[in-house]
Amino acid sequence: QVQLVESGGGLVQPGGSLRLVCKSSESILSFNVMEWYRQDPQKQRELVATFPRGGRPTSVESVKGRFTMSREVAKGTVSLQMNNLSPDDTAVYYCKGTRYSTDYWGQGTQVTVSS
């Protein structure tokens, strides 16, 4: 049973930084792609960053330059470094891994950006 567990969320001030970590029960390289999504009650769940197994990590235009995805294969993790956070970044952040046609989701971690 694949398990993905996010950590690192919390309350941060505008302009601050946060690093989210997703720990996988199985090798990161067993997935075709690892991704970060986010969602708040007023928005649809949206893609934030993606890291194909054999490719390079990319972030969506709205967070490019502020958010960077990485993977730490030896640790079994993927991470999302978030800098210059704004209240608009407040959301539940989810880690997703895709293996063949099956998606696996973490439980999510809350990120709240507020003074």
Side-chain angles (χ1 to χ4, degrees):
Q1 184 73 34
V2 173
Q3 294 186 64
L4 301 173
V5 180
E6 302 95 335
S7 63
L11 176 64
V12 297
Q13 300 180 43
S17 297
L18 205 61
R19 185 177 181 88
L20 306 182
V21 178
C22 172
K23 172 68 176 179
S24 173
S25 63
E26 301 184 15
S27 173
I28 294 297
L29 299 182
S30 72
F31 301 96
N32 300 90
V33 60
M34 299 293 298
E35 296 175 317
W36 285 98
Y37 284 75
R38 67 184 181 185
Q39 184 175 30
D40 71 34
Q42 298 180 340
K43 301 176 182 178
Q44 296 184 16
R45 188 170 297 187
E46 64 176 350
L47 178 70
V48 176
T50 184
F51 202 149
R53 176 172 53 207
R56 296 173 287 104
T58 58
S59 301
V60 299
E61 188 69 25
S62 61
V63 304
K64 191 172 297 182
R66 297 191 299 122
F67 292 9
T68 302
M69 188 175 181
S70 62
R71 67 186 181 193
E72 302 77 40
V73 175
K75 298 180 180 180
T77 62
V78 295
S79 299
L80 185 68
Q81 179 66 46
M82 306 185 295
N83 299 324
N84 194 25
L85 287 161
S86 77
D88 290 340
D89 296 314
T90 295
V92 178
Y93 284 72
Y94 297 91
C95 174
K96 178 170 77 79
T98 300
R99 180 184 292 164
Y100 299 102
S101 61
T102 302
D103 292 337
Y104 301 91
W105 292 88
Q107 83 288 348
T109 185
Q110 176 71 48
V111 172
T112 302
V113 185
S114 175
S115 60

